[in-house]
């Protein structure tokens, strides 16, 4: 009898496919049904309308993403984002050339703006000239928070209607990651950028129907969307509910179909699970850290030993339990696995200041303070600034208690939101409890924004020429393994320098009703919610 | 009467003028402005961009010039442009007014319907078990903040019935029964608190009147209780109650912040708080002026009502 020979590789591929389907849940196993609409939670009205490029909050990006498209975007079905999960949107394909100094995009030819005008490479050039504030840019953004992302872009060429070339000063593989962020939609060249503050002309799967200020944002399906057969839904409605209790009640009562990112804490998840057992929850990271900023330009935190003592003093696990009820994880500057790809493993983390056993860590802190001339009789007295928002104040209160245990007497100073960033940027503080979100899980986006010399968001004003060189080196490294090793070394260095001690990486337990299908929250609050593949099984 | 109304309106205008100065200065005394907030959403501050935006919004002008600009705009019925939304302030404010007026009116109706009869019963049945019970209920109403009661209503409804009133505004022409449901629950929450105050005022005022000679005479003439209480006593006891109702209405116009927030109703007060947080001066200034106008007019209406209720009160002489 002849034996049937099946190549091992094929068996593996088949099994993988079966496991993959099972792992992704019933949503993929079912045939998507077109029609219906969803009501989605929004915790505040859009701060700057749909002007994503003028804002750095997901209160803008989350409800605006269905209107727009990027050149490339993170695969919406994969929660963990990396260079491997980037897929084309307005770009059909792309190619690195000239030893990673040029990035060429070949654009789709079947795309139209919501007002019917055709999309071309001119729109791409317009958007990136605007963002990098090119000398010949035809317009200017009122506020440009991510200009630094494009510091390495020398020029954007749109020589042909459907080809765009990004020329760079040096190789930078991360550019693609930043282009795939929810913060990088393409604006229409024929629309003044200011107009996006009040309306939205995009190329995305949904067209803006109405924005009733302070109430809701409503979209309808874009019948001319360039992905045929998408979106499945006829419409989306983002309902603004400022009061947290009412938001949760509305979700529980079924008036909302899905939460918004970063909204469902562990406690809320447990309450909802008890009340509505069929509710679906996704445990994802927010890519938002709790961290301590210390002004290195002013005493006493110009002394690295004092900064290090502060870092040693704070029990990270204690904070996770006390302030987050377990809804956060340990991590350094980059998001750890399995949520991210650049983070440090637990073994490495344990070697860092403040991550070990609390008693030992606090003893180290006391010793460092004593060496710096601060004793129980002569304690260090500081003012701990934080934003006057509960999540900030909770963290700051915990930190103050921890510092007290090593002999640092900190008093809490609550700063109103209107003043917080101005105060932090100008360095008008001693020490602060802060939250930092990353637009994309990428070392360049993080390091250059939060730790680089001269960056306006480097609130600590930490500046090390040596570390800057390390940033440059990892940024140009083309071998992913070598780059990962370099990034981990940098994270260690940043924690050892107490540049901005990271206390926790926040988790979210994103909630939605079971009839919402095809919605995969990401480990980053900014990069999902295009909603083109989401459908309603009801 | 006409000259009295004219005089009162004149005083009202002076009050509004004073109010405009107070709100204008107070807003600018609060730390930070819209530009700080805009940069907050960007997470950084750039001094040159900051100056450019301040210039664009006219915030670089001296305070007196900004004030005169605003008064000039008001004089021609122009409410200016919202800093936050980049749209005419009138376009944003217009839909908010009917929501708050409706909620305040309904709350007041609930308060009067609950407060006046219970106050009368409590006074007539003074020191009985019923009186004590009603006083306890009214004290509870005074002690319970309406936003707390509102939250309890929301949480109770969702816990027991898995239902809450609509969280998006339902226009009466769209679905009237649902509109009524949406407004009745917050009106009950707010009205209960106000009713407690009205009940206590009604009770004390009525108790005072019930001791008057003319009431004793009415009893002596063999009038029924209904006639004595409702026709003779209450008519004279109602004046302080009307004053309280007027004050409550004025208070409710600007004081529904938390109720509107808890029930997610798009009214003036909720929007006012958001506008203050955003330092959206044109919206805040004009909303406060609208509230001030309502307060002045409601006070005038109450004063005019005195004349109707008490023939001894005459105006303009």
């Amino acid at each position: 009898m002849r034996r049937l020979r099946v190549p091992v590789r094929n068996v593996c591929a088949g099994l993988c496919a079966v496991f993959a389907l099972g792992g992704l849940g019933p949503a993929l196993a079912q045939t998507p049904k077109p029609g219906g609409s969803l009501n989605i939670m929004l915790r505040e009205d859009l701060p700057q309308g749909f002007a994503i490029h003028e804002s750095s909050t997901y209160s803008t990006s989350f409800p605006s993403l269905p209107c727009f498209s990027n050149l490339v975007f993170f695969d919406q079905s994969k929660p963990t984002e990396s260079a491997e999960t980037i897929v084309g949107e307005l770009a059909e394909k792309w190619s690195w050339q000239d030893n990673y100094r040029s990035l060429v995009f070949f654009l789709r030819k079947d795309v139209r703006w919501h007002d019917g005008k055709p999309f071309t490479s001119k729109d791409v050039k317009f958007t990136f000239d605007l963002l990098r504030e090119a000398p010949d840019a035809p317009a200017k953004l009122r506020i440009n928070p991510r200009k630094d992302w494009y510091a390495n872009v020398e020029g954007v060429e749109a020589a042909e209607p459907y080809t765009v070339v990004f020329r760079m000063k040096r190789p930078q593989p991360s550019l693609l990651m930043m282009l795939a962020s929810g913060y990088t939609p393409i604006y229409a060249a024929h629309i003044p950028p200011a107009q996006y503050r009040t309306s939205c002309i995009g190329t995305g799967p949904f067209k803006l129907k109405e924005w009733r200020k302070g109430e809701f944002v409503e979209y309808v399906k874009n019948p001319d969307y360039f992905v045929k057969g998408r979106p499945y839904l006829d419409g989306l409605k983002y309902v603004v509910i400022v009061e947290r209790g009412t938001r949760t009640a509305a979700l529980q009562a079924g008036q909302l179909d899905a939460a918004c990112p970063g909204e469902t804490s562990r406690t809320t998840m447990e309450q909802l699970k008890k009340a509505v057992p069929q509710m679906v929850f996704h445990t994802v990271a927010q890519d938002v850290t709790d961290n301590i900023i210390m002004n290195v330009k002013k005493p006493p935190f110009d002394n690295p030993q004092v900064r290090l003592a502060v870092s040693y003093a704070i029990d990270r696990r204690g904070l996770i339990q006390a302030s987050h009820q377990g809804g956060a994880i340990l991590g350094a500057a980059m998001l750890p696995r399995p949520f991210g790809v650049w983070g440090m493993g637990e073994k490495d983390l344990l070697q860092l200041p403040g991550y070990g056993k609390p008693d030992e860590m606090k003893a180290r802190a006391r010793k460092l303070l004593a060496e710096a001339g601060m004793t129980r009789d002569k304690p260090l007295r500081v003012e701990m600034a934080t934003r006057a928002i509960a999540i900030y104040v909770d963290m700051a209160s915990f930190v103050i208690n921890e510092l007290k245990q090593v002999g640092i007497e900190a008093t809490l100073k609550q700063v109103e939101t209107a003043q917080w960033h101005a105060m932090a940027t100008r360095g008008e503080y001693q020490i602060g409890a802060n939250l930092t979100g990353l637009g994309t899980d990428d070392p360049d986006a993080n390091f250059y924004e939060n730790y680089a010399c001269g960056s306006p968001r480097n609130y600590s004003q930490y500046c090390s020429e040596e570390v800057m060189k390390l940033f440059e080196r990892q940024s140009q490294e083309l071998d992913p393994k070598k780059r990962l090793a370099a990034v981990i070394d940098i994270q260690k260095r940043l924690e050892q320098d107490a540049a901005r001690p990271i206390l926790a990486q926040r988790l979210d337990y994103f909630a939605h009703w079971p009839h919402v299908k095809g919605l995969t929250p990401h480990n980053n609050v900014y990069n999902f919610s295009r909603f083109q593949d989401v459908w309603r099984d009801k | 009467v006409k000259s009295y109304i004219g005089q009162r309106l004149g005083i009202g205008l002076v009050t509004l003028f004073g109010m405009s100065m107070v709100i204008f200065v107070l807003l600018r005394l609060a730390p930070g402005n819209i530009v700080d907030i805009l940069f907050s959403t960007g997470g950084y501050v750039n001094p040159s961009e900051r100056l450019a935006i301040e210039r664009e919004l006219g915030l670089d002008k001296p305070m007196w010039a900004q004030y005169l600009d605003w008064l000039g705009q008001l004089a021609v019925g122009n409410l200016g442009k919202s800093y936050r939304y980049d749209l005419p302030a009138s376009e944003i404010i217009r839909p908010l007014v009917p929501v708050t007026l409706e909620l305040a009116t309904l709350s007041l109706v609930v308060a009067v319907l609950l407060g006046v009869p219970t106050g009368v019963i409590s006074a007539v049945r003074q020191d009985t078990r019923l009186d004590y019970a009603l006083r306890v209920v009214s004290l509870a109403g005074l002690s319970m903040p309406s936003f707390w009661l509102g939250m309890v209503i929301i949480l109770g409804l969702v816990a027991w019935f898995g239902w809450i009133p609509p969280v998006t505004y339902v226009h009466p022409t769209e679905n009237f029964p649902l509109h009524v449901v949406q407004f009745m629950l917050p009106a009950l929450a707010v009205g209960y608190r106000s009713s407690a105050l009205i009940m206590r005022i009604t009770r004390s005022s009525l108790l005072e009147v019930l001791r008057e000679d003319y009431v004793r005479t009415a009893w002596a003439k063999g009038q029924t209780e209904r006639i004595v209480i409702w026709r003779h006593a209450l008519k004279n006891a109602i004046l302080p109650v009307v004053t309280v109702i007027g004050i409550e209405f004025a208070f409710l116009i600007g004081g529904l912040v938390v109720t509107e927030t808890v029930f997610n109703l798009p009214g003036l007060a909720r929007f006012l708080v958001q506008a203050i947080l955003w330092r959206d001066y044109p919206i805040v200034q004009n909303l406060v002026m609208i509230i001030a106008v309502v307060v002045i007019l409601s006070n005038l209406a109450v004063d005019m009502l005195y004349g109707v209720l008490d023939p001894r009160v005459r105006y303009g002489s």
Side-chain angles (χ1 to χ4, degrees):
Chain A
M1 199 174 96
R2 212 177 119 195
R3 284 180 67 186
L4 187 67
R5 285 174 66 98
V6 181
V8 175
R9 196 175 51 186
N10 290 4
V11 173
C12 178
L15 284 174
C16 290
V18 169
F19 284 126
L21 272 180
L24 287 173
L28 279 186
Q30 289 176 274
T31 310
K33 294 173 192 163
S37 63
L38 292 180
N39 286 340
I40 299 151
M41 180 193 289
L42 208 55
R43 63 179 191 170
E44 63 172 337
D45 203 6
L46 285 70
Q48 309 232 46
F50 307 88
I52 292 181
H53 289 310
E54 293 184 323
S55 177
S56 279
T57 164
Y58 65 82
S59 294
T60 301
S61 62
F62 178 65
S64 301
L65 279 177
C67 175
F68 289 106
S69 307
N70 283 24
L71 280 175
V72 289
F73 203 39
F74 291 108
D75 187 335
Q76 294 293 283
S77 68
K78 298 190 171 97
T80 301
E81 298 164 352
S82 70
E84 283 70 45
T85 68
I86 292 174
V87 293
E89 249 194 341
L90 292 170
E92 267 178 331
K93 50 189 178 173
W94 58 95
S95 148
W96 286 102
Q97 293 176 4
D98 189 20
N99 193 29
Y100 279 80
R101 278 172 185 269
S102 301
L103 181 55
V104 185
F105 289 98
F106 304 96
L107 308 178
R108 298 183 71 113
K109 294 173 182 158
D110 53 352
V111 182
R112 287 195 171 270
W113 293 98
H114 292 162
D115 59 4
K117 294 203 163 59
F119 158 79
T120 68
S121 58
K122 278 185 186 165
D123 298 303
V124 180
K125 180 172 168 50
F126 170 82
T127 302
F128 290 99
D129 281 350
L130 193 67
L131 284 172
R132 64 192 189 87
E133 294 178 8
D136 55 345
K140 192 178 184 310
L141 293 169
R142 182 160 75 170
I143 284 176
N144 189 2
R146 284 171 295 279
K147 183 186 169 191
D148 289 349
W149 279 16
Y150 309 100
N152 186 39
V153 178
E154 221 165 27
V156 179
E157 294 161 15
E160 290 173 45
Y162 297 102
T163 308
V164 181
V165 184
F166 283 69
R167 302 260 181 231
M168 282 170 286
K169 296 172 193 162
R170 60 164 175 78
Q172 189 189 19
S174 280
L175 181 67
L176 201 58
M177 290 290 286
M178 294 187 272
L179 297 182
S181 164
Y183 275 143
T184 322
I186 302 299
Y187 274 11
H190 63 280
I191 302 285
Q195 200 174 310
Y196 283 101
R197 290 178 214 145
T198 51
S199 63
C200 191
I201 298 292
T203 54
F206 293 91
K207 291 167 91 161
L208 180 66
K209 183 183 173 194
E210 188 182 6
W211 176 22
R212 209 180 283 174
K213 314 291 176 291
E215 285 190 69
F216 61 78
V217 177
E218 194 170 8
Y219 290 101
V220 290
K221 179 180 186 160
N222 173 12
D224 303 319
Y225 187 48
F226 55 84
V227 180
K228 297 300 162 217
R230 302 287 196 286
Y232 294 120
L233 293 167
D234 290 336
L236 290 171
K237 192 172 188 177
Y238 291 85
V239 182
V240 180
I241 307 178
V242 180
E243 168 57 39
R244 191 173 194 164
T246 311
R247 287 200 292 270
T248 310
L251 181 65
Q252 187 178 331
Q255 287 198 35
L256 298 174
D257 301 296
C260 64
E263 175 61 25
T264 318
S265 66
R266 196 185 177 102
T267 319
T268 308
M269 184 256 295
E270 280 160 6
Q271 282 169 3
L272 279 172
K273 206 183 245 182
K274 215 170 166 185
V276 191
Q278 69 271 34
M279 187 81 79
V280 179
F281 298 94
H282 302 258
T283 306
V284 285
Q286 298 184 27
D287 216 353
V288 174
T289 61
D290 287 5
N291 56 71
I292 294 295
I293 49 175
M294 288 175 271
N295 191 339
V296 305
K297 301 275 178 188
K298 281 184 184 171
F301 298 110
D302 54 343
N303 181 345
Q305 270 189 306
V306 180
R307 296 204 301 270
L308 201 53
V310 167
S311 188
Y312 270 114
I314 304 165
D315 174 12
R316 272 64 168 173
R317 286 178 189 79
L319 175 86
I320 289 169
Q321 288 310 319
S323 291
H324 299 282
Q325 292 78 43
I329 48 167
L330 284 181
M334 301 300 299
L335 198 55
R337 286 173 187 274
F339 301 104
V341 292
W342 302 100
M344 298 169 69
E346 195 159 346
K347 202 176 144 194
D348 284 330
L349 283 174
L350 284 173
Q351 310 303 316
L352 298 178
Y355 288 77
K357 289 180 182 165
D359 292 343
E360 287 173 20
M361 296 290 109
K362 285 195 171 62
R364 296 276 289 273
R366 283 187 206 100
K367 194 173 166 224
L368 283 165
L369 286 171
E371 283 169 13
M374 288 135 197
T375 59
R376 191 166 287 182
D377 302 330
K378 200 181 147 195
L380 172 60
R381 288 197 167 84
V382 291
E383 192 177 62
M384 165 76 71
T386 200
R387 263 172 104 169
I389 299 176
I391 52 173
Y392 282 74
V393 176
D394 284 355
M395 186 212 334
S397 307
F398 179 88
V399 171
I400 286 172
N401 188 46
E402 292 289 288
L403 296 182
K404 197 175 181 183
Q405 293 175 46
V406 298
I408 300 176
E409 300 285 338
T411 49
L412 182 64
K413 182 189 177 191
Q414 296 192 42
V415 182
E416 217 203 328
T417 294
Q419 293 289 288
W420 173 250
H421 288 102
M423 183 210 74
T425 309
R426 287 197 293 260
E428 292 165 356
Y429 72 98
Q430 283 187 297
I431 181 168
N434 183 46
L435 261 70
T436 302
L438 285 188
T440 173
D441 181 31
D442 177 76
D444 279 15
N446 189 2
F447 296 155
Y448 286 106
E449 184 174 307
N450 298 308
Y451 302 94
C453 303
S455 164
R457 283 210 265 188
N458 177 0
Y459 303 131
S460 294
Q461 303 187 51
Y462 164 84
C463 177
S464 160
E465 289 303 323
E466 199 187 330
V467 173
M468 284 300 288
K469 279 180 193 154
L470 295 176
F471 290 168
E472 297 283 307
R473 205 173 300 151
Q474 67 77 28
S475 176
Q476 298 181 61
E477 180 56 64
L478 303 178
D479 180 337
K481 278 186 183 166
K482 283 185 188 165
R483 189 173 178 209
L484 176 62
V487 169
I488 285 176
D489 285 344
I490 290 171
Q491 291 180 77
K492 284 181 192 167
R493 174 70 190 268
L494 292 172
E495 291 303 316
Q496 279 154 1
D497 284 358
R500 183 189 286 218
I502 305 294
L503 306 184
Q505 291 271 1
R506 292 181 166 242
L507 293 181
D508 181 30
Y509 300 86
F510 190 93
H512 64 76
W513 280 83
H515 59 257
V516 178
K517 304 287 186 188
L519 175 58
T520 309
H522 284 199
N523 292 306
N524 183 304
V525 291
Y526 306 103
N527 302 334
F528 68 100
S529 79
R530 193 72 89 210
F531 281 97
Q532 67 175 30
D533 299 320
V534 178
W535 54 283
R536 190 183 173 101
D537 189 19
K538 199 176 175 184
Chain B
V1 175
K2 274 182 189 168
S3 68
Y4 175 77
I5 294 175
Q7 190 188 345
R8 287 290 302 267
L9 289 177
I11 294 169
L13 275 178
V14 176
T15 311
L16 284 177
F17 179 68
M19 193 72 206
S20 71
M21 283 208 278
V22 170
I23 186 63
F24 187 88
V25 173
L26 280 182
L27 259 180
R28 278 149 187 86
L29 284 180
N33 62 17
I34 179 76
V35 190
D36 292 306
I37 308 278
L38 289 174
F39 276 110
S40 270
T41 67
Y44 77 114
V45 176
N46 179 319
S48 65
E49 285 177 1
R50 193 195 150 87
L51 281 176
I53 302 171
E54 284 187 338
R55 205 169 302 128
E56 181 191 321
L57 299 175
L59 292 169
D60 59 331
K61 290 183 188 172
M63 236 181 11
W64 61 266
Q66 291 181 45
Y67 180 68
L68 287 182
D69 280 353
W70 176 43
L71 284 193
Q73 286 174 340
L74 272 185
V76 293
N78 176 5
L79 302 188
K81 210 171 176 188
S82 160
Y83 292 161
R84 180 181 182 186
Y85 291 111
D86 220 2
L87 288 171
S90 56
E91 207 176 289
I92 292 168
I93 291 172
R94 203 177 302 126
L96 310 173
V97 178
V99 175
T100 297
L101 280 179
E102 184 179 348
L103 181 56
T105 309
L106 268 177
S107 303
L108 213 59
V109 168
V110 169
V112 171
L113 289 180
L114 283 177
V116 174
T118 50
V120 171
I121 294 167
S122 194
V124 173
R125 303 280 178 267
Q126 190 190 7
D127 294 334
T128 62
R129 281 186 186 174
L130 184 59
D131 176 32
Y132 291 132
L134 289 174
R135 281 159 69 185
V136 167
V137 172
S138 100
L139 257 181
L142 280 176
S143 323
M144 255 188 274
S146 53
F147 68 85
W148 180 84
L149 186 60
M151 205 66 234
V152 167
I153 291 174
I154 293 270
L155 295 179
L157 285 172
V158 78
W160 290 321
F161 305 108
W163 175 90
I164 59 169
V167 286
T168 45
Y169 176 62
V170 182
H171 198 272
T173 54
E174 192 185 321
N175 186 336
F176 187 70
L178 203 58
H179 175 82
V180 172
V181 170
Q182 185 172 39
F183 275 77
M184 269 326 286
L185 289 169
L188 278 173
V190 178
Y192 175 44
R193 186 209 148 272
S194 301
S195 76
L197 189 65
I198 290 172
M199 182 260 179
R200 294 186 76 79
I201 298 289
T202 309
R203 182 181 181 274
S204 62
S205 177
L206 192 59
L207 278 175
E208 209 176 304
V209 170
L210 284 174
R211 291 186 189 104
E212 295 283 339
D213 290 344
Y214 69 88
V215 174
R216 201 174 302 121
T217 308
W219 284 120
K221 281 166 73 181
Q223 301 273 26
T224 62
E225 187 181 47
R226 199 163 60 92
I227 300 279
V228 173
I229 303 299
W230 293 97
R231 189 178 293 174
H232 296 293
L234 189 60
K235 202 173 172 188
N236 287 297
I238 207 76
L239 278 186
V241 180
V242 169
T243 310
V244 169
I245 291 171
I247 293 169
E248 275 294 291
F249 183 72
F251 165 77
L252 287 177
I253 292 297
L256 289 169
V257 179
V258 192
T259 308
E260 286 179 356
T261 305
V262 166
F263 287 92
N264 213 41
L265 288 169
L268 281 179
R270 187 184 75 152
F271 210 86
L272 177 62
V273 172
Q274 293 301 312
I276 291 170
L277 292 175
W278 272 82
R279 307 288 191 273
D280 196 344
Y281 298 156
I283 297 283
V284 178
Q285 288 164 185
N286 292 311
L287 280 181
V288 171
M289 293 306 282
I290 287 171
I291 291 168
V293 167
V294 173
V295 170
I296 287 168
L297 291 180
S298 66
N299 274 336
L300 178 62
V302 166
D303 287 351
M304 299 309 294
L305 208 57
Y306 284 168
V308 176
L309 294 171
D310 188 345
R312 288 169 302 178
V313 180
R314 285 289 173 266
Y315 301 107
S317 56

